[in-house]
Amino acid sequence: MLLLFFLSGISGLVYQVLWVRQFGNVFGNTLHSASLVMGVFMLGLGVGSYWLGRIGDRRYQEDERSPLRLYGYAELCIAAFGLLLAMVVPRLQALSTGISSYRVAADGFHELSLTTHIFRYGVAIALMAPPAILMGGTLTLLIRFVIGREVKAAGWRIGLLYGVNTAGAALGALLSDFLLVPALGIFATQLVAVAFNVVAGAGAWQLSRGPASVPTTTEESASASEVPGDRQTRAVALTAVAIGLSGFAAMGIEIVWFRYLGQVLGALRSVFSLMLAVILVGIWLGAILGGHLQRRFGEPVVLLIVAQGLLAASVLALLIGFDHHGAFHRHLAEIRATYLAASSTGRAWLGLEANLQPILAVTALPALMMGFTFPLANAHVQRTAGAVGGRAGALYLFNTLGNVLGSVLVGFWLLPAVGIRWSAFALCGAAALSVIPLWLSTTSAAEWRQPTRPSYALLASLLVSVLAGFAFLQAPADRLLLPAIPRGDEGGTRAKVLESEGQNETLVVIEIPGVERSLYTNGHPMSSTSATSQRYMRAFAHIPLLHVDDPTDVLVICFGVGNTLHAASLHPSVERLEVADLSRHVLDHAHLFSAANHDILDDPRVSVFVNDGRHHLAMQPGPRYDLITLEPPPIAFAGVSALYSREFYALARSRLEPGGFVSQWLPSYQVPGPVVLAMVRAFVEVFPASVLLSGDDRELILMGINGDELVVDPDVVAEKLRAAPAVAKDLERIYMGTPVELFGTFAASGEVMAEAVKGAEVVTDDRPLLEYAQAVNIPIADLPASLFDVRSIGAWCPNCASIDGLDAYLAVREAIYRSPAFLEGGSVSFDDPAQRAAIDHSEYLRFLLRGEPYHLDKLGVAHLAAGDLPAAAGAFRRALYLSPNDVEATFGMARALARAGDREGADAALNRVIALAPEHPGANAVLCRRAVDRHDRPAAELACGRAKRGGQPLSPDLERRLAELVAAP
């Protein structure tokens, strides 16, 4: 029977993991969607445990074998529902989009409406509640059977049952994401879970035909001491409150762990599965140990009070004690060094080891304490043989209610409101306070002052919790955010601009003054204003839109810092710009990157949708976009595979106008070569008319058209650029301003890619290969050379042969991408004179290959002194491309524009200097003179004072006029 219940635990966790994933594809991979699935699942477990527990009690009085038979029937019914959901859920897309709608929030952003969430709950309840209720009932039915009339054995036997089932769940977590889904796919994995249910159900039915008696000892056979009915009722009620509070704290703590360790290890599916497995193993061992201790020593309330105190204290101590930047990271670096040379099996094992160490360090001991809760609480309340199932079900129901409340309140309110530190403190406080109703359940008001073992345990537990809480608050306030904050370099050039905790992530903005601002979420880089980032992110929009005659509608999935959206806005015919992003938190901080995105969210053409990009796309009624472009988070992160699957591309094509484009980020260095080919195959199967482009360095771009042919004419592009000077200027800024640079981004035609991926697997919703690619430290040289063939450019650009220098430029690019030395961070030498000439004539290639410091600021100043205003402006412009927030380049540009007679441009640049550096002496000297000219005394005193403090001398004439202005009445 224990073996059958172990198999049942495996299947239950497999269903839970896969339903969260599948409903995420249907409803969107949002926090709301995950919480919806988990909430319905947990509530179903609680309701089922109580309902079937009561039924088991009644049926047991008639036939002692009846609960076991009911358990068998429940398992078979779970199998039937599991099979039904495996077939139905992936086909719910039309229903999901039909019940979804937006409402406009106060800030103008579009959010999913309340009716959408209500309908989703209805669908989720209708589909998931029946199997979840049956799953919850399996535990209490078996509890009813194995305890029989021997209630004194409740703690040990319930601990054994609960522990074995949890052990199965832990194995299910590992099997799902480390073996079954990678090898078989999601649907086949669900069939495996169905098979386990069938075995458990058939086995239980067979066992129910034999003797129903359970081996007992004399001690266990003894009747429980009689306790008055009202005292029993009070004990059950208070214990239910305690276990509900404990469940609230436990689930909330798990969410804090997932957020904290996700910052350390990455939001990888394998990391989440490993965390879940470790927590479940801890609960399994805790349940067995708790049951054993109660059997050996009795006193379940004392044991449970002590366990709750240790839970609260250990969570706080281990969080502040974890060395996330010290010995652990040195050990991890050693593992990563070995990782590069290891076999595929060795890679997987070393990656597992690297992830396992911090997970164990933070979660193992508290998870063990969590496991004590259910068996010891049952040992305390099980006093009546006829109510075993009902009482176990009631406790389980209250525990799951606490779980659901903890999940919702912590994820949606507590973490965004107070952050990881205070959330952990509050949740541990809740765990510590759960001992009070436990103590009250053993003591009447008249006995409160009498010394008892529960009283001593209560005082000790609260004392340990208080001391741990005090020590926790003495640690630096940002201690738990350190993994989310990138470490500065030795020169100390990086500065933290912002750290903020939201529903989905901890957001950090880091600045290298005068160089770039970077966006990090949960400790991992997402986007930047750097020169290299702007080059490929802006190319996502510029290159496809130059293929389209008068494009009007653009959808940008994933906002980042706004580079791509702003680039699309520069095309004069574009009338509607939509951006879909999961994180309102990121969107709310777009203004921090205004130097690059020019406050694009304030553009009246822009509509912002806070939603999963795939789900937003599915909500659109039909073909409407001229361009859909996206740069998701790191491609191995959980849920991102849904934006690289064949089904996603089919959806995207159905929403494109004829001749419309999809352009997408292909960071081929993040996953092994076979997975890169699987990604490309998914794309070219839907978009056979496509090209592979080079955005920057190893940042590649897949671009496909909703049509039969993808061809570009350089003359037509040149004409479009003449009609769109803002686009031409932006392309020049990102080193794509000449035909050689623009068409030199070509890497391969659709035919070349199709040939390269023959025989490769394909990324689908059922086979999300990206999430199992071990996406850290993959050898960069694993990039498949078969994907690159610049000689096929004629398929995309038949007339490009007339572009002087393009052949040599493309030859250099192909040599780069076929060079293991370059891909591993080394250098490439070129002996061919034409190729060396191409490098010498391309500032971008020189920068890419040599990383030369150009000192463009000084060059611009030299041109300015020589009176060559166009050359000076060009040097400053390129300096600002490389460093958008470079104060001196901005000031130089202001001077160049002023001397060229562009007063409006000069003023804008000057205001930008003051915004970046309010005390800049040169800019303040200019403002000083202007303020004196218009007799603005306050402005003159402020600007002139700043200029003098900065060491900027004023001319004698200006000093005289300033003195007169100050002295004037």
Side-chain angles (χ1 to χ4, degrees):
M1 186 182 64
L2 291 176
L3 175 61
L4 298 179
F5 204 36
F6 178 78
L7 296 178
S8 177
I10 294 176
S11 68
L13 206 286
V14 169
Y15 289 136
Q16 178 182 334
V17 168
L18 297 188
W19 289 346
V20 169
R21 182 198 295 269
Q22 288 186 300
F23 276 94
N25 284 346
V26 172
F27 291 147
N29 284 290
T30 65
L31 180 64
H32 291 84
S33 177
S35 297
L36 160 64
V37 175
M38 287 300 299
V40 172
F41 187 82
M42 296 301 296
L43 281 175
L45 294 181
V47 171
S49 66
Y50 180 69
W51 175 52
L52 288 178
R54 294 289 298 274
I55 292 175
D57 283 338
R58 292 198 300 269
R59 299 291 295 273
Y60 181 82
Q61 307 305 320
E62 304 166 3
D63 180 0
E64 293 184 358
R65 291 189 292 269
S66 180
L68 188 56
R69 280 198 300 273
L70 287 176
Y71 167 78
Y73 295 145
E75 289 285 359
L76 293 173
C77 289
I78 292 169
F81 279 113
L83 181 60
L84 178 65
L85 264 67
M87 295 185 293
V88 169
V89 173
R91 295 168 174 81
L92 289 178
Q93 187 72 69
L95 175 63
S96 172
T97 56
I99 64 176
S100 298
S101 61
Y102 288 110
R103 71 174 186 88
V104 181
D107 56 5
F109 290 0
H110 294 74
E111 298 175 330
L112 290 172
S113 65
L114 177 61
T115 55
T116 298
H117 292 298
I118 292 174
F119 283 135
R120 285 182 175 184
Y121 270 100
V123 171
I125 289 172
L127 291 174
M128 284 195 302
I133 288 172
L134 292 170
M135 289 180 200
T138 57
L139 174 62
T140 46
L141 286 171
L142 287 188
I143 287 174
R144 170 68 277 180
F145 176 72
V146 301
I147 290 180
R149 302 185 184 281
E150 300 156 14
V151 292
K152 289 189 69 176
W156 165 246
R157 290 187 173 174
I158 290 176
L160 187 61
L161 272 178
Y162 184 66
V164 164
N165 187 251
T166 305
L171 183 59
L174 292 175
L175 287 177
S176 295
D177 284 328
F178 285 91
L179 177 62
L180 295 176
V181 175
L184 304 176
I186 292 175
F187 180 75
T189 298
Q190 288 176 285
L191 296 185
V192 172
V194 169
F196 284 159
N197 289 130
V198 171
V199 171
W205 184 83
Q206 182 65 30
L207 287 175
S208 71
R209 300 176 64 187
S213 60
V214 178
T216 64
T217 66
T218 303
E219 176 188 359
E220 290 174 343
S221 300
S223 300
S225 57
E226 291 299 324
V227 180
D230 58 341
R231 186 80 171 263
Q232 287 191 43
T233 302
R234 179 171 174 270
V236 172
L238 287 170
T239 304
V241 171
I243 202 173
L245 193 57
S246 176
F248 168 80
M251 180 58 72
I253 289 168
E254 289 181 28
I255 291 174
V256 169
W257 283 340
F258 279 108
R259 171 69 66 85
Y260 176 70
L261 290 171
Q263 295 174 167
V264 176
L265 300 173
L268 304 175
R269 184 78 65 183
S270 57
V271 169
F272 292 142
S273 296
L274 193 58
M275 277 193 267
L276 182 58
V278 169
I279 292 169
L280 290 171
V281 167
I283 293 173
W284 157 41
L285 296 177
I288 299 294
L289 180 60
H292 172 73
L293 291 175
Q294 187 274 329
R295 187 185 194 190
R296 176 72 175 80
F297 300 108
E299 301 286 355
V301 171
V302 172
L303 291 170
L304 187 49
I305 288 175
V306 171
Q308 288 300 112
L310 290 176
L311 168 63
S314 62
V315 167
L316 298 178
L318 293 172
L319 279 174
I320 60 170
F322 178 57
D323 182 15
H324 45 266
H325 277 331
F328 161 68
H329 276 271
R330 289 193 295 274
H331 176 58
L332 187 58
E334 295 172 1
I335 288 177
R336 287 176 171 174
T338 308
Y339 188 104
L340 294 176
S343 65
S344 58
T345 303
R347 290 182 200 168
W349 171 250
L350 290 172
L352 181 66
E353 180 186 349
N355 290 333
L356 188 58
Q357 181 185 352
I359 293 172
L360 286 172
V362 173
T363 69
L365 180 58
L368 187 74
M369 295 300 104
M370 291 176 184
F372 278 54
T373 306
F374 191 67
L376 292 180
N378 270 280
H380 176 48
V381 303
Q382 297 295 1
R383 292 289 184 269
T384 303
V388 168
R391 289 188 176 183
L395 292 184
Y396 198 69
L397 173 61
F398 271 80
N399 189 250
T400 55
L401 287 172
N403 290 159
V404 173
L405 192 62
S407 174
V408 172
L409 289 184
V410 174
F412 288 98
W413 176 71
L414 195 61
L415 266 176
V418 300
I420 292 178
R421 179 177 185 241
W422 285 107
S423 294
F425 183 80
L427 291 164
C428 289
L433 291 176
S434 69
V435 303
I436 294 177
L438 278 175
W439 173 71
L440 291 174
S441 70
T442 66
T443 311
S444 65
E447 300 168 332
W448 282 358
R449 296 185 179 181
Q450 297 178 10
T452 61
R453 288 193 183 91
S455 299
Y456 291 134
L458 173 73
L459 293 175
S461 178
L462 291 176
L463 178 61
V464 168
S465 300
V466 169
L467 290 176
F470 179 78
F472 181 79
L473 294 181
Q474 302 313 301
D478 64 348
R479 170 76 179 174
L480 300 184
L481 290 182
L482 291 179
I485 302 172
R487 303 186 75 184
D489 57 359
E490 286 75 6
T493 59
R494 295 201 290 182
K496 182 175 66 176
V497 176
L498 170 85
E499 64 181 47
S500 177
E501 297 184 71
Q503 285 184 353
N504 298 292
E505 69 282 297
T506 299
L507 184 150
V508 175
V509 177
I510 298 293
E511 180 177 35
I512 302 177
V515 178
E516 65 174 316
R517 278 190 176 181
S518 299
L519 172 68
Y520 288 76
T521 62
N522 292 334
H524 302 280
M526 292 295 169
S527 193
S528 171
T529 63
S530 70
T532 54
S533 295
Q534 293 211 44
R535 177 179 168 88
Y536 78 90
M537 292 177 187
R538 290 179 176 275
F540 287 140
H542 286 319
I543 296 178
L545 288 176
L546 287 172
H547 287 69
V548 182
D549 293 330
D550 299 321
T552 58
D553 288 76
V554 175
L555 170 63
V556 176
I557 297 175
C558 304
F559 178 75
V561 300
N563 292 324
T564 305
L565 186 66
H566 175 256
S569 73
L570 299 177
H571 291 258
S573 63
V574 171
E575 299 174 355
R576 288 171 292 277
L577 291 157
E578 294 182 3
V579 58
D581 198 292
L582 278 173
S583 177
R584 167 179 280 278
H585 195 208
V586 168
L587 294 165
D588 285 340
H589 291 90
H591 63 280
L592 296 176
F593 302 94
S594 59
N597 64 40
H598 300 271
D599 295 315
I600 184 60
L601 295 186
D602 295 333
D603 190 312
R605 296 173 295 170
V606 173
S607 298
V608 179
F609 298 87
V610 184
N611 193 10
D612 173 88
R614 175 168 171 166
H615 187 250
H616 171 73
L617 198 57
M619 290 174 63
Q620 307 313 306
R624 55 168 301 193
Y625 298 111
D626 297 299
L627 172 64
I628 298 169
T629 181
L630 62 157
E631 184 199 11
I635 55 179
F637 278 19
V640 176
S641 186
L643 295 176
Y644 285 91
S645 70
R646 184 169 54 194
E647 292 85 351
F648 168 73
Y649 293 132
L651 171 64
R653 181 158 187 170
S654 71
R655 300 305 190 262
L656 287 174
E657 293 283 359
F661 280 80
V662 162
S663 63
Q664 180 165 31
W665 183 44
L666 180 67
S668 53
Y669 53 88
Q670 292 188 0
V671 288
V675 180
V676 175
L677 295 178
M679 297 163 65
V680 174
R681 180 179 172 186
F683 190 85
V684 298
E685 282 190 0
V686 178
F687 293 99
S690 56
V691 293
L692 180 67
L693 304 175
S694 168
D696 177 79
D697 198 359
R698 295 182 294 271
E699 312 291 356
L700 304 178
I701 300 172
L702 286 167
M703 185 175 75
I705 188 173
N706 182 21
D708 298 327
E709 187 179 42
L710 176 51
V711 175
V712 66
D713 187 333
D715 294 332
V716 174
V717 170
E719 182 63 30
K720 290 180 179 179
L721 289 175
R722 283 191 289 271
V727 175
K729 184 177 180 181
D730 204 45
L731 284 170
E732 180 184 357
R733 191 171 65 84
I734 62 173
Y735 293 110
M736 291 185 184
T738 68
V740 169
E741 292 168 326
L742 182 62
F743 297 104
T745 59
F746 178 81
S749 66
E751 291 80 2
V752 169
M753 290 191 287
E755 182 65 27
V757 301
K758 283 184 177 178
E761 293 189 83
V762 59
V763 178
T764 65
D765 288 347
D766 189 62
R767 298 295 303 280
L769 301 173
L770 307 187
E771 299 182 357
Y772 307 105
Q774 296 296 328
V776 291
N777 298 302
I778 295 300
I780 296 172
D782 203 17
L783 182 64
S786 59
L787 280 177
F788 301 97
D789 186 357
V790 299
R791 294 167 298 179
S792 62
I793 191 172
W796 175 48
C797 183
N799 297 329
C800 276
S802 61
I803 300 177
D804 186 39
L806 180 59
D807 287 344
Y809 187 98
L810 288 173
V812 172
R813 297 309 300 264
E814 183 167 36
I816 288 173
Y817 282 104
R818 290 181 178 272
S819 168
F822 176 80
L823 294 173
E824 290 175 344
S827 60
V828 185
S829 60
F830 294 88
D831 298 325
D832 183 272
Q835 293 178 2
R836 289 204 304 269
I839 296 170
D840 291 338
H841 285 87
S842 169
E843 192 169 355
Y844 173 70
L845 286 183
R846 295 201 306 272
F847 176 76
L848 179 65
L849 291 170
R850 302 173 189 166
E852 295 178 356
Y854 292 108
H855 306 293
L856 291 170
D857 290 357
K858 295 180 181 178
L859 180 62
V861 171
H863 283 309
L864 198 60
D868 190 345
L869 299 182
F876 290 130
R877 185 178 299 110
R878 292 187 181 276
L880 289 172
Y881 162 69
L882 294 171
S883 305
N885 295 320
D886 188 319
V887 174
E888 294 306 323
T890 307
F891 181 57
M893 179 63 77
R895 294 174 62 196
L897 293 174
R899 290 181 61 177
D902 184 355
R903 179 64 180 267
E904 184 178 350
D907 287 348
L910 195 64
N911 291 334
R912 176 66 181 155
V913 173
I914 296 299
L916 291 170
E919 298 290 333
H920 189 276
N924 277 291
V926 176
L927 295 176
C928 166
R929 184 176 63 253
R930 292 183 180 181
V932 170
D933 288 345
R934 65 176 183 269
H935 302 289
D936 186 340
R937 177 176 170 177
E941 289 180 327
L942 176 64
C944 299
R946 286 177 171 176
K948 291 179 179 180
R949 287 195 301 272
Q952 178 70 41
L954 305 181
S955 67
D957 178 65
L958 184 58
E959 285 277 19
R960 176 185 58 77
R961 294 170 57 206
L962 175 63
E964 292 174 354
L965 178 63
V966 172

